Amino acid sequence: MNRRLAPLPSPDDWTEEEDRLGFFGPGSVTWRIHGDPAYHLGAMRALMLQALHPVAMDGVARNSAGFKDDWWMRITRTGQYMETAVFGTRTEARRMAARVRGYHRKLSGVEETTGRAYRVDDPDLLLWVHSCAVESILTTARRAGLDLPDRDADRYVAEQVAFAQLVGVPLETVPTSVAELDAYFAGIRPELRATPAAVKGVRDLFLPPMPGWLQVLTPARPVWGSLAGLCFALLPGWARRMYSLPGLPLTDAAATTGLRAFRAGFLALPDRAYRSPIVRAGFERAGAERLSA
């Protein structure tokens, strides 16, 4: 297996201004998409899609076994990493990516259904996780109503090569257009299946641990479950069918309607309702106004 990973971008290769604006910047399609409320549902959809790769899901399940009481913290850390890579300075993004790569380098296992021995940072697994994130976030954004013509969709996929480089994906394997991304998924689909670990992972997304008082005194449980259900409905039909749940066109139409209502509701609120401190700091540092939808 080709284990040559992409080198982390070097601070010697960028100016102080480039460092300040990060690897994407306010003129990028990436900032438009990742600064929108729909981004959060796209990110959860990505987790559900990623779970269908038996080996990648085994890596998650095996190395999360000791953290059952730390579910929310793990989700938060993943979100912080994604947001720092996009909205942080280049120095911040590179530092966090190096820390994540160092952690993943230590993790390995053997997936039972395939018998494959692997390391979590195997290039094909990194490529799978990257491609699921790009496809999910882009597809969700377009269905949510962002104005993303084909040229902008291709530009987003191409911009995300920088993210892949930070993660350590061999650059020659990374899709650079929507057509290449579609071809990647068409090629890998025969390897995918809903293993018991995948089903449990998705079930945990529907029913994450919550304090009893929060479930009793607030609508947190049903609200979260509704959002998780919407994210599941946003999956492609073939993925939903792998989980033995409906993959009908009517489901797609209803999901799109729900997604657009979700986005419209949050866009009517102040930015801080759906943008974390990391994202807001990126906009403030760049002097960028609220990006056009």
Side-chain angles (χ1 to χ4, degrees):
M1 178 182 295
N2 177 14
R3 297 196 61 84
R4 185 171 66 82
L5 302 186
L8 280 173
S10 169
D12 297 333
D13 297 333
W14 62 66
T15 66
E16 183 176 340
E17 176 69 1
E18 288 173 331
D19 185 25
R20 183 176 70 85
L21 295 178
F23 285 107
F24 303 97
S28 66
V29 179
T30 294
W31 271 38
R32 283 179 56 201
I33 293 176
H34 288 237
D36 191 89
Y39 159 77
H40 300 285
L41 298 189
M44 188 185 294
R45 177 191 186 275
L47 295 176
M48 295 176 175
L49 188 59
Q50 288 164 0
L52 288 172
H53 192 299
V55 182
M57 186 60 218
D58 186 78
V60 172
R62 184 180 303 274
N63 293 292
S64 299
F67 300 95
K68 292 180 180 179
D69 297 327
D70 196 25
W71 192 92
W72 288 105
M73 184 60 68
R74 287 185 287 118
I75 290 292
T76 298
R77 285 196 296 262
T78 299
Q80 289 174 339
Y81 167 65
M82 294 280 289
E83 290 175 341
T84 300
V86 171
F87 293 100
T89 66
R90 292 191 177 193
T91 299
E92 290 169 343
R94 186 178 186 276
R95 183 183 301 122
M96 181 166 281
R99 185 159 58 243
V100 171
R101 290 173 71 169
Y103 175 69
H104 286 169
R105 197 174 296 123
K106 304 172 186 177
L107 305 179
S108 61
V110 177
E111 201 280 314
E112 293 182 0
T113 66
T114 62
R116 173 179 161 181
Y118 65 90
R119 280 185 10 181
V120 168
D121 66 348
D122 279 347
D124 66 312
L125 302 183
L126 294 176
L127 178 60
W128 165 251
V129 172
H130 171 78
S131 298
C132 286
V134 173
E135 191 276 337
S136 289
I137 292 169
L138 175 60
T139 298
T140 301
R142 299 185 87 177
R143 290 178 67 177
L146 272 77
D147 183 16
L148 293 167
D150 290 347
R151 67 178 182 278
D152 283 350
D154 281 335
R155 183 178 163 196
Y156 175 72
V157 177
E159 287 175 357
Q160 289 302 296
V161 172
F163 204 127
Q165 187 178 17
L166 282 170
V167 175
V169 187
L171 293 183
E172 66 273 12
T173 69
V174 184
T176 60
S177 67
V178 172
E180 290 183 6
L181 190 61
D182 290 344
Y184 169 79
F185 278 98
I188 201 171
R189 275 180 58 180
E191 301 177 31
L192 308 179
R193 60 185 59 87
T195 62
V199 173
K200 181 182 183 303
V202 170
R203 185 173 64 244
D204 288 345
L205 284 172
F206 273 90
L207 297 170
M210 288 183 181
W213 66 266
L214 189 65
Q215 299 184 56
V216 173
L217 299 178
T218 75
R221 174 66 76 191
V223 168
W224 180 271
S226 296
L227 290 178
L230 176 56
C231 292
F232 188 88
L234 292 171
L235 287 169
W238 58 263
R240 296 197 302 270
R241 286 189 291 271
M242 282 188 176
Y243 284 114
S244 299
L245 290 171
L248 303 175
L250 180 60
T251 303
D252 291 331
T256 299
T257 299
L259 173 60
R260 294 194 173 202
F262 168 89
R263 178 173 182 259
F266 272 90
L267 285 176
L269 300 174
D271 289 0
R272 65 179 56 250
Y274 58 88
R275 286 181 177 167
S276 74
I278 295 173
V279 177
R280 296 199 304 272
F283 277 84
E284 291 170 4
R285 190 172 55 252
E289 299 296 330
R290 182 176 185 150
L291 296 183
S292 170

